[in-house]
Amino acid sequence: MYEPVIGLEVHVQLKTKTKAFCGCVNEFGAKENTHTCPVCLGLPGSLPVLNALALKSAVKVALAFHCTIAGFTKFDRKNYFYPDLPKNFQISQYDKPLSENGFLDMEEAGQKKRIRIKRIHLEEDAGKLIHPENSPVSLIDFNRAGTPLLEIVSEPDIHSPEEAYQYLTDLKLALQYLDVSDCDMEKGSLRCDANISLRPIGESKLGTKTELKNMNSFKAVKAALEYEIRRQTKLLEDGERIIQETCLWDEKQQETFSMRSKEEAHDYRYFPEPDLPP
């Protein structure tokens, strides 16, 4: 018998009038590529300036989840190439996040449980790729590039898809109460990635994890975790090895498929953002 070990990474778009590091309007549904400027397009010589409301909203959320606010925090460049990332890096936070060591108390199946929150930090969103049907090309909308994001990272304290569903439900309710985000998953305002591994019951050592992406509802998160538990259990029972990888959830097929081998932090070549003071 195996025990699932699950950690969730939740990305929340903050409800600010302007983007994280520039004065462009932060608004969903506008005509493509109309809310852009040299800063969020990463043009040479442009300089970012931190959105004060985004910082205040991030602190509000961190305090609501009992996190310790850092006395010293900084931004970092997370380097990777993707077509909708115009700078070829994302302004994020690495080793000095805004806040750490919080928790969310919840109740699932009549049992009270505390899920520890490892960190809550600020970063910017990427643009959006659009894939027209029956077309050999993809289109890019940079309106979303630079939107302020909160990343809320849980510890691997979740042990069932039902617990993950309840954690996300309670987290969303708190964020809506704080009025920092509309949390509309259909608009992409709230997105979730899940890390899951299995280990023999009674074992303390973590197993090899897979990361699940592309889940557009809490119901999909629950279904993807249930599928991955079945898949990993069969591999382990057959004596096969779990590969650390990133998997996408196929809503139509109701199964996961491999996207890429999982990157480690050093692959992103993090270094301090030189244009933003600590």
Side-chain angles (χ1 to χ4, degrees), residues 198-218:
L198 299 187
R199 65 186 177 191
I201 290 176
E203 175 70 63
S204 59
K205 185 181 176 183
L206 294 173
T208 303
K209 68 180 180 182
T210 55
E211 182 183 25
L212 307 181
K213 287 181 174 287
N214 198 39
M215 300 168 293
N216 57 11
S217 69
F218 294 169

Side-chain angles (χ1 to χ4, degrees), residues 212-239:
L212 307 181
K213 287 181 174 287
N214 198 39
M215 300 168 293
N216 57 11
S217 69
F218 294 169
K219 184 180 175 184
V221 173
K222 184 170 176 284
L225 288 169
E226 288 170 345
Y227 176 84
E228 196 61 18
I229 289 169
R230 293 194 300 270
R231 185 186 75 85
Q232 290 190 26
T233 298
K234 185 174 188 311
L235 285 173
L236 291 171
E237 288 178 345
D238 291 346

Side-chain angles (χ1 to χ4, degrees), residues 19 24-25 27 29-37 141-143:
K19 293 184 181 181
C24 287
V25 174
E27 178 185 62
K31 181 173 170 56
E32 293 86 354
N33 298 306
T34 53
H35 294 163
T36 61
C37 74
D141 180 10
F142 286 120
N143 282 349

Side-chain angles (χ1 to χ4, degrees), residues 28-223:
F28 179 83
K31 181 173 170 56
E32 293 86 354
N33 298 306
T34 53
H35 294 163
T36 61
C37 74
V39 176
C40 56
L41 290 179
L43 300 186
S46 61
L47 292 172
V49 177
L50 178 60
N51 183 322
L53 181 58
L55 179 64
K56 289 178 182 177
S57 297
V59 171
K60 184 193 284 190
V61 173
L63 290 172
F65 293 116
H66 316 282
C67 291
T68 300
I69 308 297
F72 177 93
T73 187
K74 67 178 175 69
F75 286 94
D76 300 276
R77 290 188 179 184
K78 181 180 182 181
N79 296 274
Y80 60 98
F81 172 78
Y82 209 66
D84 59 10
L85 196 70
K87 296 194 289 278
N88 287 336
F89 64 83
Q90 175 190 32
I91 298 177
S92 184
Q93 295 191 292
Y94 178 45
D95 58 334
K96 300 287 184 184
L98 176 74
S99 65
E100 296 180 283
N101 303 324
F103 62 87
L104 183 154
D105 286 334
M106 66 177 203
E107 189 171 309
E108 201 279 315
Q111 298 290 317
K112 291 186 177 180
K113 179 155 186 179
R114 173 167 291 182
I115 307 298
R116 293 172 298 155
I117 292 174
K118 183 176 183 179
R119 58 190 279 156
I120 298 177
H121 68 256
L122 264 172
E123 58 187 25
E124 62 178 343
D125 211 344
K128 184 178 181 181
L129 280 175
I130 300 154
H131 311 287
E133 278 192 53
N134 304 316
S135 172
V137 301
S138 292
L139 307 176
I140 308 176
D141 180 10
F142 286 120
N143 282 349
R144 196 174 71 181
T147 296
L149 273 187
L150 266 192
E151 183 170 356
I152 304 172
V153 182
S154 83
E155 295 284 3
D157 291 346
I158 299 167
H159 297 293
S160 72
E162 292 76 22
E163 282 186 6
Y165 184 93
Q166 190 60 52
Y167 168 84
L168 290 170
T169 301
D170 289 3
L171 190 79
K172 179 184 177 183
L173 193 64
L175 293 168
Q176 288 175 318
Y177 178 80
L178 293 168
D179 196 31
V180 296
S181 173
D182 62 18
C183 296
D184 189 332
M185 293 190 80
E186 289 187 5
K187 295 180 181 177
S189 301
L190 191 151
R191 308 193 291 275
C192 176
D193 299 335
N195 293 301
I196 177 168
S197 63
L198 299 187
R199 65 186 177 191
I201 290 176
E203 175 70 63
S204 59
K205 185 181 176 183
L206 294 173
T208 303
K209 68 180 180 182
T210 55
E211 182 183 25
L212 307 181
K213 287 181 174 287
N214 198 39
M215 300 168 293
N216 57 11
S217 69
F218 294 169
K219 184 180 175 184
V221 173
K222 184 170 176 284

